[in-house]
Amino acid sequence: MQQLDIIIKNPTGLHARPAKEFVNIAKGFKSNIRVYHGEKMANAKSLISLLTLGVRSGNQIKIEVEGEDEDQALQALESAVLSGLGEEEIIKQISQKSPTIERATTSDQVKPDHTEVEIILKNQIRGIAGAPGIAIGPVYHLQRTEIKVEETFAGESKEKNQLQSAIETAKGQLKQLHKKMLDQKASGEAAIFDVHIELLDDFELLDSVLEKINQEQSAAFAWQSTIEERAKLVASLDDPLLAARAADLHDVGYRVLRILVGADNQAPEFPDHPVIILAEDLSPSDTVTLDRDKVLGFCTAKGGPTAHTAIIARALGLPAIVSAGEKIISLEDSTQVILNGYTGILSIKPNQPEIKEAVRMQEEDKDFRLQVRAESGKPAITIDGHRVEIAANIGGIEDAHQALASGAEAVGLLRTEFLFLERINPPSEDEQFEVYRDIAQAMQNKPVIVRTLDVGGDKPLPYIQMEQETNPFLGERGIRLCLNRPKLLREQLRAILRAKEHGPLRIMLPMVSDISEWLATKEIVTEIENEMGVSGVEMGIMIEVPSAALMADIFAEHVDFFSVGTNDLTQYTLAMDRMHPLLAGKSDGLHPAVLKLIDFTIKAAHKSGKWVGVCGELGSDPQAIPILVGLGVDELSVTVPAIPMVKAQVRELSLTKTQQLAQAALKCASAKEVRQLTQP
Ligand code: PEP
Ligand code: MG
């Protein structure tokens, strides 16, 4: 018998990919291999067993090997662990910086539920406009169909054969999903399906199911109970990363179970009348399979306007609101609502006049959309000849195609987070380059502003180690986080500068609060440009923090442009969490305090001959557009579906009148007063 104590340095510990790598190596040897962590022991050839050890980064494990090839096995496992179990790059990157340990988990914490109060008080839930259109009707919660497993035993060999064939079918489906992700250059997501396949290969899991079949349980019954037991065990380890593995187990378990009970091809059950779907979130495949005759629109608690779900909704012409928060979950089935996919507002139990108005809007909407769409290629010039550039906020290549087709004159904000989220390792420079190049090409020589990675304690990434933060929104976010991880920042900047050969890409820094952040990043960009023998990339900053707005005169001497991120600027100016369910109604970008900061920014920029865009949600708010134009905003960058409508609205405005309106708005005492000024 051979033993070895070794420290796991992988940032996520022995989870997901490193654990899979470890199991695969162990499986290559005949010896029995056990792994000890504290009091716990696992079989090294079982992924689930290994996961339940809960080994975190920095933990020591003991590997014990016994059998004919024990020397070779121990050596192979030692060198695999030392070289990072497939995560060499991430470990190297982390060891170059601070020795932080705990990841922030704030986003996983349960928030108090003030839903009832919110709904009764306001009769409205505000989310984000996901896909345009108005829907009126009863709501229906879309949930996964519960699978009832009948406990009927058809004989040992029949049940075992059924199990085997269901697992093979599931693996086939997973391989297809894996390939689809690879085809879309989403290798991080593809790796998740790899882990699912590995879970189906887990012999401990299978042994346990087979054991139950031996005791005359049906394959479905045995499978379901084993998955539940294992998932519970994994989830009970109280680790957010392991909780995600429990979700993987549920997912893959549900897939096999559906096949076992013959429910694989069944669409979810629906009432027999058309409904507005409410869901925590919808997967793209859920969205694609929604029956257009029975679904009037949908509203999700999570998700975002750039998620695939919203993109598909637009393609299907389904009005949608995304990111409406957990409060929608408490609405009862059959509650009547009006879903406004333009404003992102869900009106609960509307009264007769509200319904009448919504029906009128729906009818008008149909004709108007046709007309607006037909004119979306024309510029947005006010009746007195002032042109405003209308650009798109995008989150990927599909959006870029849609943006161009919808009349976007540029991309005012490419949120690059989509490349970094929901994966277990960061995208490589090459992978990023290919995506930025594709987007530059799709936009056919129109300018594209690429925002550098904007994540932080509020949106933790498994491969970025961070200190636990009490206030993640005031912590290491955006450019602060990237400047502390120069390799991550450099790779992204290099990828952008390389892709710039294929179209006019510009660089924009998020969450800038101090000139030093600008200067440090600018220096890195210049260094990379020199290395590459290129020059002249246009660079700007987001105005999202009051300090940046108040220092705009200084920044204006350095940058090429500003883009006002009104979502964050409102949050930081009013000191109101942008996700707070109770503050949603008050956290309004039309607050005069926010408008004064925008006004100051525009004046400072124009004085230095620089231009200003607005890329926060305020830019597509019909009540805000005249004020922003009147303040002198040069560009409005809005979600793709809003482009034709924003252009149409600007064409109806008179610059002189909007300037008077903007001045009046600056003198108002509250956002409410400003909104009263601009009531249509
Ligand atoms: C903003 O803050 O307004 C913005 C556009 O950035 P994000 O919504 O991605 O934080
Ligand atoms: Mg922001």
Side-chain angles (χ1 to χ4, degrees), residues 501-542:
E501 250 188 61
H502 302 270
L505 299 189
R506 297 168 176 163
I507 295 172
M508 178 158 74
L509 315 182
M511 268 296 286
V512 172
S513 56
D514 186 82
I515 190 79
S516 60
E517 293 154 345
W518 162 264
L519 294 173
T521 316
K522 178 78 185 167
E523 197 178 313
I524 298 173
V525 170
T526 311
E527 251 173 60
I528 301 175
E529 281 190 324
N530 290 342
E531 276 160 32
M532 291 173 61
V534 296
S535 65
V537 67
E538 284 186 34
M539 280 180 71
I541 60 167
M542 291 196 70

Side-chain angles (χ1 to χ4, degrees), residues 420 429 432-433 436 450-453 479 482-483 485-500 505-510 520-529 532 534 537 539:
F420 293 80
E429 181 189 313
Q432 291 188 61
F433 158 73
Y436 304 148
V450 186
R451 178 175 76 181
T452 57
L453 182 62
I479 195 65
C482 287
L483 280 169
R485 287 154 187 83
K487 184 169 185 291
L488 192 73
L489 179 61
R490 274 176 184 273
E491 273 177 6
Q492 182 168 39
L493 293 171
R494 273 188 69 84
I496 301 169
L497 289 169
R498 279 170 59 196
K500 192 172 157 276
L505 299 189
R506 297 168 176 163
I507 295 172
M508 178 158 74
L509 315 182
T521 316
K522 178 78 185 167
E523 197 178 313
I524 298 173
V525 170
T526 311
E527 251 173 60
I528 301 175
E529 281 190 324
M532 291 173 61
V534 296
V537 67
M539 280 180 71

Side-chain angles (χ1 to χ4, degrees), residues 413 415 451 454 477 542 544 565-568 578 615-616:
L413 169 63
R415 289 186 167 98
R451 178 175 76 181
D454 187 13
R477 280 191 69 192
M542 291 196 70
E544 297 183 286
T566 52
N567 309 338
D568 275 318
R578 62 193 260 188
C615 63

